[in-house]
Each structure stands twice: as structure tokens, then as C-alpha cells.
């Protein structure tokens, strides 16, 4: 069938289809930021809730110390902690914001046309601004009740400054969301289904909630799932570290009107001294002291994101250790047909080129979690079956990612043969090794090409080495001559071949302008969604009786 498709009209090189992955990757990137904004709203709510419980915990600790000193010393009576702050964080407004964020995230992730999604985004904007205004003005009311009118006035100025920066930021987020919706719906329904975050085997609402809170699909295979899920939710905060840093600096600037009078009550005296050029030595000392105190305060506050980021990395490492699986473990837990990942041990996890940094990328996607093809295949392949691979014998332990099976040097070919027969899909990364060359020949000889995606590693796309690897693989797997294979790889000046697959029995060359991580994501997702239907039942919680 492949030969017949290639030889129509006697011109082998003119009838092979080419598909531009770069266009879909660009659209996916645009809509990704809209989804990330919904996640950000959720984590802002979560962060506010954590801070509320933190403040209550500090109040309880202080209350306990005051009670102790009052009971065994001459200290003043203890003040009962005020739990109203936590109650407001769990109020109706918070739950409406959470529900709206989940709804918007779900709709964006499924790429379904819905004009009213802009209404949901606008509601998120209004609710967040309202909540920010209530939180800011509550401090003013507290100080006014205590008779501190000057401080209350300063807090009022702080609230207005905060809102002046909050509204434009949320309007920017709304514009990004609307643009993402517009870009993704420039594609037809078939392409949107291929880009959707949800596979037809999944429960969309449950999957969107899991993705919203940063819990990967692989948590189903892990140990201590509740603990791992909690750690990954906490790690989701780290994805927005740059946003938190920017927010803290902005809040600090807004608080200056309230902080300076407290640190320097006689500011009017200093200003008069500056105007009259009197007692300049004392003025210089006072101003220097205030500047030092402000810098120390800012430094302490800026430590918070650093501490959160450090703890998040530890949490991710701890969680990933509990989601590692061997080939035997994963096949025991999930009896669906596997997704097989073949590559050279010299390039075991296949690092991906990160997307080009931009203000949106810096603000909304700081972590860039899909850094390797290995982890990407784990995330995407788990939707249709367990993801498996042969492990490097030099591994001290199976790494986090695709489940590894370890075999002796004399047995690995037999293992690949069995896995190829069982698999629902095969993803092969080309390299100049004897093992990869044998795998190319085996896939061709056993006629597994209809379920195989052949890829170049990012560093090989658009290079002479990549062209050589791809032309040899196409020549062997599609039974082409070397000259015909090379001619197929010649495209536009800014277009490079990054792999090929069969679609409905006909070869399709996959091209891209820049081989970055989201290009690989959309390519892998498209390949898996175009596979014939397999046993796509839900992942079982344990082994079946038959297993």
C-alpha cells in the first residue's frame, strides 16, 4: 500500500503528504497561556487560603505563649485568636472564583466553541478585583476602629494603588484568554480534537480538575497517592514563581505609604529640614536608616518565593520517586496495550528545546515541566495505555518517566520483539547506533510501521546528521532509494523535517520551523489520537484476576 501510494503517476517523491506541525504548535502555545491563567486564579485562591491558615497558626502560637506567661508569670491576659480571616477565605466569593476558574479551564482544554467563555473570564476578572478591594479596605477599617486615622488613611492609599495595578493586569489576562480562544478556533473541528487535552477514554471533568491542580496522570500508578497528589498541588505554585515575585514587589510598592509613616513618624519634620537646609547630618542618618529598613524588609519578603520554590523542587523530587515504575510493575497495574518508547541509551530521556522566552512565558509558564520527550510520552501515552521502554543497564534505579524494563545484552532484542507485538503505539527516536538500526529493521520487517512514529531528536532537526538519519530510515522503512528519500526532505528554507508516520496507510512527513517542546507535544498528541481504536477502558486500580 505504501509503495502504491508513493508511485502514483510514476513520481515517487511528489505524492507523499507533508504536515506542518509548527502551525499547530503555535496555536497550542497561544491557548496554553489562557489555560495557565485559569490555573493562576486557582492557585491565587489556594495561596490566600494557605496564608490565612498560616496567620491563624501564628495567632494560636502567640495565644499559647501569652497564656503560658500569664499563668506562670506576670504577663497580661491572653487575647483569643480571631478566626474570621480564615472564614472569609472560604466564603462564597472564593468558591465562585474556584468554580469559574475550573469551568473556564475545562472549556479551554477541550477547545469547544463557546462565546460565553468570555463572560466567564470577565466574571473571574470582576470577582478577583472585588475580592482584592475587600481585602485591602478591611485593613483600613481595622485601623480606623483603633483610632489610628493616619494609618487608616495610608492603608486607603495602599488599597487604591493596589487596585490601580490589579485592574490592568486582569484586563491583560482577559485579552490573552480571548486571543487564545480566537486562535484555536481558527482551526477546524478535526484539528481541535487532535489538540484537545482530553482523550476520548478519559472522563473530561475529572481530567480537567486533575490537570488544573497540577496532578499528572501517572499518579495513578504511584505509591502513597494522596501524599503525592498533595505534593504536586504544592509544586504547582512553583510554576508561577515569577508572577509571585512580581506581585510581592508590587505589593511592597503599594505598602510604602503605610510603611514609611510607621518607620518614620516625623516625616514632616525631615521634609521641613530639607527645605530649610538645617540639621542635614541627622536627616541623612534618618533617611539612610529608613532606606536600610525598607531594603531589609523587601529582602525578607522576597525570600518567601525562594523558600516556596526550594520546597517545591524537593516536593516534586519526592513525588516523582513515588511515581517511578518498572516494566513489571506497570504491566501488573495496567493490562491495556502499552505505548513503547524506543531510543538510544546515549540519549535516554531526549531533552527538548524549551520555548523561546517571552513576557507571557516568563509570567505564566516559568517551570516548563515538559523538558524531556520521556516525561511528555508518559503524560500523553498514559491516556491510552501504560508507557514502557527498555532501561539503560547503567541506571542505578529506574528514573521518573516511562516505565523501564532491564534485560541482559543477549535478551533485549527478544524483549523489543515482544513489546512491539503487544504495543498499541511505538515512538522511535533515530540515532546512529546498532540498536536503533536493528529496531528500524525489525519494525519494517514485522509490519509495525502503521502504529509507529519516527522522530529526530531536537538537536538533529534541520542538520546534515538529521537529514542523513531520516533519509536512511525512510529508505529502509518505506523502501525508497537514497536519492528519493533525500528529495522528500527538501522543503522550504525555514521548514525542516522532524519525523514521519503513516496515516491511513499513506506516509506523512512532519515538518516544523523550530523544533521546540510544544512542537513535539502536538506531534505526539496528533499521532496518538490518529491511531485506530484500541482497548481504551479506564486504568484499573490493580491487576486483574487473569493477570
Amino acid at each position: 500500500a505504501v509503495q502504491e501510494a508513493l508511485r502514483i503517476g510514476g513520481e515517487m517523491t511528489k505524492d507523499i503528504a507533508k504536515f506542518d506541525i509548527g502551525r499547530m504548535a503555535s496555536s497550542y502555545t497561544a491557548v496554553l497561556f489562557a489555560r495557565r491563567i485559569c490555573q493562576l486564579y486557582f492557585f491565587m485562591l489556594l495561596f490566600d487560603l494557605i496564608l490565612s491558615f498560616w496567620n491563624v497558626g501564628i495567632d494560636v502560637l502567640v495565644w499559647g505563649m501569652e497564656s503560658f506567661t500569664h499563668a506562670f508569670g506576670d504577663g497580661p491576659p491572653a487575647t483569643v485568636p480571631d478566626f474570621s480571616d480564615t472564614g472569609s477565605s472560604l466564603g462564597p466569593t472564593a468558591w465562585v472564583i474556584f468554580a469559574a476558574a475550573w469551568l473556564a479551564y475545562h472549556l479551554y482544554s477541550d477547545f469547544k466553541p463557546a462565546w460565553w467563555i468570555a463572560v466567564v473570564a470577565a466574571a473571574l476578572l470582576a470577582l478577583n478585583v472585588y475580592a482584592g478591594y475587600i481585602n485591602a479596605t478591611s485593613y483600613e477599617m481595622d485601623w480606623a476602629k483603633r483610632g489610628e486615622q493616619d494609618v487608616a488613611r495610608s492603608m486607603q492609599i495602599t488599597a487604591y494603588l493596589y487596585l490601580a495595578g490589579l485592574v490592568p493586569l486582569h484586563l491583560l489576562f482577559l485579552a490573552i484568554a480571548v486571543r487564545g480562544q480566537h486562535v484555536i478556533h481558527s482551526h477546524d473541528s478535526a484539528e481541535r480534537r487532535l489538540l484537545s487535552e482530553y482523550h476520548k477514554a478519559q472522563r473530561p471533568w475529572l481530567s480537567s480538575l486533575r490537570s488544573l491542580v497540577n496532578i499528572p496522570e501517572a499518579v495513578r500508578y504511584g505509591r502513597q497517592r494522596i501524599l503525592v497528589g498533595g505534593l504536586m498541588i504544592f509544586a504547582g505554585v512553583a510554576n508561577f514563581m515569577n508572577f509571585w515575585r512580581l506581585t510581592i514587589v508590587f505589593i511592597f510598592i503599594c505598602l510604602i505609604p503605610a510603611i514609611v509613616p510607621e518607620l518614620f513618624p516625623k516625616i514632616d519634620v525631615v521634609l521641613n529640614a530639607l527645605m530649610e537646609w538645617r540639621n542635614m547630618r541627622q536627616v541623612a542618618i534618618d533617611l539612610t536608616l529608613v532606606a536600610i529598613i525598607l531594603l531589609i524588609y523587601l529582602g525578607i519578603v522576597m525570600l518567601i518565593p525562594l523558600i516556596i520554590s526550594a520546597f517545591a523542587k524537593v516536593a516534586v523530587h519526592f513525588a516523582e520517586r513515588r511515581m517511578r515504575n518498572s516494566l513489571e510493575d506497570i504491566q501488573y497495574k495496567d493490562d491495556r496495550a502499552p505505548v513503547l518508547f524506543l531510543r538510544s541509551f546515549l540519549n535516554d530521556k531526549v531533552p527538548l528545546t524549551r520555548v523561546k522566552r517571552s513576557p507571557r512565558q516568563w509570567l505564566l509558564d516559568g517551570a516548563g515541566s515538559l523538558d524531556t520527550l520521556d516525561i511528555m510520552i508518559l503524560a500523553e501515552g498514559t491516556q491510552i495505555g501504560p508507557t514502557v521502554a527498555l532501561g539503560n543497564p547503567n541506571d542505578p534505579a529506574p528514573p521518573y518517566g516511562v516505565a523501564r524494563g532491564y534485560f541482559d545484552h543477549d535478551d533485549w532484542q527478544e524483549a523489543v520483539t515482544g513489546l512491539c507485538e503487544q504495543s498499541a503505539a511505538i515512538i522511535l527516536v533515530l540515532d546512529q547506533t546498532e540498536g536503533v538500526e536493528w529496531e528500524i529493521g525489525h519494525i519494517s520487517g514485522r509490519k509495525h510501521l502503521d502504529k509507529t512514529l519516527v522522530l529526530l531528536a531536537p538537536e538533529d532537526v534541520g542538520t546534515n546528521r538529521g537529514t542523513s538519519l531520516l533519509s536512511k530510515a525512510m529508505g529502509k522503512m518505506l523502501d525508497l532509494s537514497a536519492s528519493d528519500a533525500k528529495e522528500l526532505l527538501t522543503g522550504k528554507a525555514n521548514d525542516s523535517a522532524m519525523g514521519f508516520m503513516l496515516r491511513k496507510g499513506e506516509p506523512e512527513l512532519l515538518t516544523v520551523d523550530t523544533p521546540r517542546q510544544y512542537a513535539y507535544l502536538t506531534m505526539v498528541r496528533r499521532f496518538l489520537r490518529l491511531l485506530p481504536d484500541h482497548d481504551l477502558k479506564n486504568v484499573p486500580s490493580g491487576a486483574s484476576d487473569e493477570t
Side-chain angles (χ1 to χ4, degrees):
V2 172
Q3 285 298 309
E4 195 65 28
L6 291 171
R7 296 182 184 278
I8 295 176
E11 292 292 335
M12 182 177 297
T13 62
K14 291 184 180 179
D15 297 299
I16 188 168
K18 291 187 179 182
F19 187 85
D20 182 12
I21 288 292
R23 174 174 168 267
M24 292 186 71
S26 177
S27 298
Y28 180 80
T29 303
V31 80
L32 171 71
F33 292 122
R35 296 175 58 244
R36 298 288 287 169
I37 290 169
C38 298
Q39 274 189 306
L40 176 61
Y41 282 131
F42 166 78
F43 283 118
M44 286 171 65
L45 178 64
L46 181 64
F47 198 64
D48 183 56
L49 185 61
I50 291 173
L51 286 179
S52 298
F53 281 108
W54 173 269
N55 293 333
V56 169
I58 295 296
D59 290 341
V60 170
L61 180 62
V62 172
W63 173 74
M65 295 175 63
E66 290 179 348
S67 300
F68 180 82
T69 56
H70 179 69
F72 298 97
D74 56 354
T79 303
V80 179
D82 181 12
F83 297 100
S84 60
D85 184 36
T86 305
S88 63
S89 298
L90 292 172
T93 303
W95 289 110
V96 171
I97 293 174
F98 173 75
W102 184 11
L103 176 61
Y105 186 85
H106 175 79
L107 292 173
Y108 267 110
S109 301
D110 206 16
F111 305 149
K112 290 181 178 178
W115 62 268
W116 50 272
I117 197 168
V119 178
V120 174
L124 282 172
L125 164 64
L127 286 169
N128 273 272
V129 172
Y130 172 75
Y133 176 76
I134 294 299
N135 290 335
T137 54
S138 64
Y139 291 105
E140 174 198 348
M141 296 173 62
D142 290 341
W143 283 105
K145 289 178 181 178
R146 300 176 193 176
E148 300 285 350
Q149 298 298 331
D150 293 339
V151 179
R153 177 60 179 168
S154 299
M155 294 305 300
Q156 187 180 39
I157 296 173
T158 296
Y160 291 151
L161 288 174
Y162 179 75
L163 287 175
L166 186 67
V167 173
L169 179 64
H170 284 292
L171 288 175
L172 173 63
F173 285 168
L174 180 60
I176 292 174
V178 172
R179 179 181 181 275
Q181 185 79 345
H182 172 74
V183 169
I184 201 63
H185 289 293
S186 64
H187 295 261
D188 58 33
S189 59
E191 289 182 334
R192 290 201 304 272
R193 284 195 298 271
L194 294 176
L195 284 175
S196 170
E197 296 295 317
Y198 311 125
H199 194 276
K200 55 187 174 183
Q202 292 181 306
R203 299 171 181 171
W205 285 103
L206 181 61
S207 297
S208 65
L209 179 60
R210 185 188 298 116
S211 176
L212 174 67
V213 299
N214 196 51
I215 298 179
E217 290 282 342
V219 74
R220 293 180 172 186
Y221 301 130
R223 306 179 300 278
Q224 300 172 303
R225 298 179 189 176
I226 296 178
L227 174 61
V228 169
L231 291 173
M232 294 306 293
I233 292 173
F234 174 73
V237 177
N239 293 333
F240 301 100
M241 269 303 104
N242 292 328
F243 175 82
W244 304 129
R245 291 187 182 98
L246 192 63
T247 301
I248 287 174
V249 172
F250 173 67
I251 292 175
F252 174 77
I253 293 173
C254 292
L255 284 172
I256 286 179
I259 295 173
V260 171
E262 286 295 298
L263 294 177
F264 205 172
K266 298 181 180 180
I267 189 70
D268 54 335
V269 177
V270 175
L271 292 176
N272 290 332
L274 285 174
M275 294 291 292
E276 299 176 8
W277 207 255
R278 291 185 291 104
N279 200 13
M280 292 306 300
R281 182 174 180 274
Q282 186 61 42
V283 169
I285 293 174
D286 291 343
L287 290 177
T288 303
L289 180 61
V290 170
I292 291 174
I293 293 175
L294 289 176
L295 289 175
I296 292 174
Y297 176 81
L298 180 59
I300 293 174
V301 171
M302 288 302 292
L303 282 176
I304 296 175
L306 294 177
I307 294 172
I308 292 176
S309 182
F311 273 102
K313 290 180 180 179
V314 174
V316 169
H317 180 71
F318 185 86
E320 288 180 349
R321 285 176 62 88
R322 277 147 185 78
M323 288 190 288
R324 296 185 307 188
N325 286 280
S326 67
L327 178 63
E328 294 78 11
D329 291 337
I330 205 74
Q331 289 182 319
Y332 176 78
K333 295 174 182 176
D334 191 346
D335 58 0
R336 296 176 297 170
V339 175
L340 177 59
F341 178 40
L342 299 175
R343 77 282 175 230
S344 167
F345 291 154
L346 299 176
N347 197 13
D348 186 38
K349 298 178 76 69
V350 189
L352 300 177
T353 306
R354 298 190 65 173
V355 297
K356 186 178 179 180
R357 304 299 287 180
S358 66
R360 289 184 305 169
Q361 180 76 19
W362 181 87
L363 192 66
L364 296 171
D365 194 24
S369 55
L370 297 176
D371 288 336
T372 67
L373 186 60
D374 179 49
I375 295 178
M376 180 182 293
I377 292 174
L378 173 66
E380 296 298 322
T382 301
Q383 298 177 7
I384 68 170
T387 55
V388 300
L390 267 63
N392 188 339
N394 296 324
D395 286 342
Y400 172 68
V402 173
R404 263 72 165 174
Y406 295 88
F407 301 90
D408 295 332
H409 179 72
D410 297 332
D411 298 335
W412 74 270
Q413 293 181 350
E414 182 180 351
V416 171
T417 299
L419 289 172
C420 285
E421 293 291 339
Q422 301 169 18
S423 64
I426 303 171
I427 298 176
L428 170 65
V429 181
L430 299 176
D431 207 341
Q432 290 178 333
T433 64
E434 293 182 2
V436 172
E437 290 182 2
W438 182 88
E439 289 164 352
I440 291 173
H442 176 77
I443 291 172
S444 303
R446 295 299 181 95
K447 299 180 181 179
H448 296 313
L449 191 57
D450 60 332
K451 61 178 181 181
T452 301
L453 172 64
V454 181
L455 297 177
L456 288 174
E459 64 267 22
D460 292 330
V461 176
T463 66
N464 292 332
R465 168 185 157 89
T467 301
S468 175
L469 288 172
L470 201 54
S471 61
K472 287 180 181 179
M474 293 178 67
K476 193 168 187 178
M477 302 176 94
L478 301 180
D479 194 20
L480 300 176
S481 66
S483 59
D484 287 335
K486 285 188 177 180
E487 186 176 347
L488 287 172
L489 299 180
T490 58
K492 300 177 182 178
N494 61 344
D495 223 17
S496 301
M498 61 187 303
F500 68 92
M501 56 180 280
L502 290 189
R503 184 180 181 187
K504 297 180 180 179
E506 298 183 4
E508 183 178 73
L509 190 64
L510 305 169
T511 63
V512 70
D513 53 352
T514 306
R516 302 191 187 276
Q517 58 182 213
Y518 294 132
Y520 279 84
L521 174 64
T522 52
M523 178 169 54
V524 169
R525 183 172 293 177
R526 181 174 181 274
F527 164 68
L528 294 176
R529 301 288 169 85
L530 289 174
L531 288 171
D533 289 340
H534 294 279
D535 182 13
L536 298 177
K537 62 186 178 182
N538 292 325
V539 180
S541 58
S544 64
D545 294 336
E546 183 179 349
T547 305

